[in-house]
Amino acid sequence: RRGDWQRLHRQLEDVHGLTGLTIDWRALQQLQPVLAQAGRTVTVTVFNDSEVVRVQPGFHDRVVGLAVDVGTTTVAGHLCDLRTGEILASASRMNPQVPFGEDLMSRVSYAMMNDAGTQRMHDAIIDGLNELAAEACADAGLSPDEIVEMVLVGNTTMHHVLLNVNPVELGGAPFSLVTHDPVDVKARELGLHLTAGANVHFPPCE
């Protein structure tokens, strides 16, 4: 007998031509309760035509994302309707890492001189991002758990700290960064309070 996920996968393939799908384990946990709640009529959110990241009872046509510029001193975000491109709300605040150093090299030095320095700065910016997401969503009449994707951009040091990677190698020659490539991480792995299966995208770092 096929499982409920296999049945849903087959429907997505037959109706929408989506093949080779996987499902986020949090969405898998929610699948049967949602099917029971909605008489087996559901809406699924598929990331990059490859992974089901959300299952909702009934019909829903809103897909929301958050784009954030993490600057050295200021963090600014735009909440967007991913279907239309409309900006639903914007929010900004001081970067909560400022107490650890006014400039980038001060923060790199803080990480170098304190064993838990990177973790402290990481926790601070994640807390700030959660607050920013909550503020933008409140302005739009939404909840952060409706955000299915986030894009974070920033300078090299900010990328390292956001990923909880010690930026010590940026503090001296040859000033090596951990990667130039784009990175995709589950929001929950970073401590962000978005949709359970939401993805966070870091564009290529220069």
Side-chain angles (χ1 to χ4, degrees), residues 7-138:
R7 297 173 193 273
L8 177 58
H9 188 181
R10 180 61 180 270
Q11 283 292 107
L12 292 170
E13 182 176 347
D14 290 347
V15 177
H16 299 287
L18 295 170
T19 60
L21 289 176
T22 61
I23 184 169
D24 177 77
W25 73 272
R26 288 284 181 85
L28 185 65
Q29 287 177 318
Q30 298 165 359
L31 178 58
Q32 289 186 319
V34 169
L35 285 169
Q37 177 182 348
R40 305 188 74 78
T41 300
V42 299
T43 298
V44 300
T45 302
V46 181
F47 172 72
N48 203 27
D49 287 344
S50 62
E51 182 185 31
V52 173
V53 297
R54 180 176 63 175
V55 183
Q56 298 170 280
F59 175 73
H60 300 267
D61 62 356
R62 172 172 284 173
V63 186
V64 178
L66 183 64
V68 183
D69 180 1
V70 182
T72 307
T73 57
T74 305
V75 181
H78 299 291
L79 189 68
C80 305
D81 184 318
L82 297 181
R83 294 179 66 249
T84 66
E86 178 187 2
I87 296 177
L88 304 174
S90 298
S92 63
R93 62 192 51 238
M94 291 293 293
N95 189 321
Q97 297 173 347
V98 170
F100 301 103
E102 292 285 342
D103 54 61
L104 295 176
M105 285 311 300
S106 295
R107 293 180 205 173
V108 172
S109 296
Y110 182 83
M112 294 171 68
M113 293 185 296
N114 295 272
D115 291 339
T118 302
Q119 184 68 57
R120 290 172 187 154
M121 290 189 291
H122 171 78
D123 291 345
I125 189 60
I126 294 300
D127 287 346
L129 290 172
N130 280 324
E131 292 171 2
L132 183 142
E135 178 183 342
C137 285

